Amino acid sequence: MRIIGGRGDPMRKRAMSITEAKRIVSSYVGKPVTIFVNRGRKRILKYEGEITELYPAVFTLKIVGDKTLEMLSCSYSDVICGDIRIQPQSP
């Protein structure tokens, strides 16, 4: 019998702490990034911009190239649960 969810389970995603999420986000401050936001029911929005400010519970993204949206605020908990993915833009 095999116990699922144990330490060596390949199906389990590695847990991330809030400090690790803050460290990841802070490494992208001032750099051009692409952010993918999962809104549920297969709706994934893509924004390009730059992370401008870091706060204790959220960070802000200045959107480039979108006429309807200038700024987006995201929480670190969304990064932890995978609702927000941050990807650096290639030069």
Side-chain angles (χ1 to χ4, degrees), residues 46-48 62-71:
K46 178 182 169 184
Y47 297 109
E48 294 181 357
K62 183 177 180 183
I63 305 294
V64 176
D66 193 347
K67 300 203 186 300
T68 59
L69 192 63
E70 292 180 11
M71 195 73 88

Side-chain angles (χ1 to χ4, degrees), residues 2-51:
R2 183 171 177 232
I3 299 173
I4 297 177
R7 211 177 178 122
D9 187 13
M11 298 294 288
R12 187 172 177 182
K13 191 172 147 183
R14 190 176 76 80
M16 182 188 307
S17 68
I18 196 86
T19 56
E20 188 175 354
K22 286 181 180 183
R23 184 183 53 78
I24 290 169
V25 171
S26 68
S27 68
Y28 293 119
V29 172
K31 299 176 184 171
V33 294
T34 303
I35 289 192
F36 298 94
V37 181
N38 184 358
R39 295 287 185 191
R41 293 189 178 229
K42 298 183 181 180
R43 290 185 311 235
I44 298 176
L45 304 174
K46 178 182 169 184
Y47 297 109
E48 294 181 357
E50 178 180 303
I51 297 175

Side-chain angles (χ1 to χ4, degrees), residues 48-85:
E48 294 181 357
E50 178 180 303
I51 297 175
T52 55
E53 296 288 329
L54 299 176
Y55 297 101
V58 296
F59 59 95
T60 58
L61 174 77
K62 183 177 180 183
I63 305 294
V64 176
D66 193 347
K67 300 203 186 300
T68 59
L69 192 63
E70 292 180 11
M71 195 73 88
L72 179 70
S73 65
C74 307
S75 70
Y76 298 112
S77 61
D78 290 335
V79 174
I80 291 171
C81 69
D83 286 344
I84 293 179
R85 286 186 307 130

